[in-house]
Amino acid sequence: MATVEKMPMLQEGYEKLNEELKRLKAERPQIVDAIEEARAHGDLSENAEYHAAKERQGQIEASIADIEDKLSRAQIIDPRELSGDKIVFGATVTLLDEDDKPIRYQIVGQTEADASKGRISYNSPLGRALIGRKVDDEVEVSVPAGDRYYLVSQIEFI
């Protein structure tokens, strides 16, 4: 029997997924109406509106199924309840790059990641390299732009 892999996420990420699910479910009746209206125009084989509406319906149903799957496997983690000297999911990490410039990231779930906001997925190359590290550990990460080197300078659970 296959085990269901939990999907760690912050409360904020869980709530965003729930909001997206509600929005998509609210769009369902509008798509059904658009399909019915397009059907009324006659020949379905050359009816672009009908095909577009059916395609959108398929996209919505696939998105709903994907989000429901993620929510069912969600493992909500509150970083403020964590502690320790190692980097784990939810930790906020300050790194020093090769020029000793500080960079700050929070390790989050895949659906919450946004590097421009300082949030990286635990599955990203840098996220995987950081998990389990401690302050003063050196980290080497291979990214498309080349190898990057960082020094872990601070770990916070905020």
Side-chain angles (χ1 to χ4, degrees), residues 20-29 60 64 68:
E20 178 67 6
L21 182 63
K22 287 178 188 170
R23 187 189 67 74
L24 289 171
K25 284 185 173 182
E27 196 174 331
R28 273 177 168 165
I60 287 174
I64 287 172
E68 285 177 338

Side-chain angles (χ1 to χ4, degrees), residues 85-147:
D85 60 349
K86 289 185 178 180
I87 298 173
V88 295
F89 181 94
T92 300
V93 183
T94 303
L95 307 171
L96 299 177
D97 67 9
E98 295 165 10
D99 301 323
D100 285 335
K101 180 180 154 214
I103 305 167
R104 195 170 148 115
Y105 291 115
Q106 182 177 28
I107 311 294
V108 297
Q110 295 162 298
T111 59
E112 304 162 293
D114 184 348
S116 67
K117 293 181 180 174
R119 300 178 128 203
I120 59 170
S121 169
Y122 67 96
N123 271 345
S124 69
L126 181 56
R128 285 194 310 263
L130 289 173
I131 298 289
R133 301 298 182 119
K134 297 179 177 185
V135 171
D136 292 332
D137 280 359
E138 292 182 9
V139 180
E140 177 184 353
V141 183
S142 295
V143 292
D147 290 346

Side-chain angles (χ1 to χ4, degrees), residues 21 23-39 44 48-66:
L21 182 63
R23 187 189 67 74
L24 289 171
K25 284 185 173 182
E27 196 174 331
R28 273 177 168 165
Q30 297 164 356
I31 294 297
V32 170
D33 290 346
I35 290 170
E36 290 302 317
E37 185 179 321
R39 250 192 206 137
L44 297 181
E49 291 90 6
Y50 174 79
H51 293 292
K54 287 297 280 183
E55 186 174 317
R56 179 67 185 142
Q57 183 182 38
Q59 291 169 341
I60 287 174
E61 293 305 323
S63 294
I64 287 172
D66 182 52

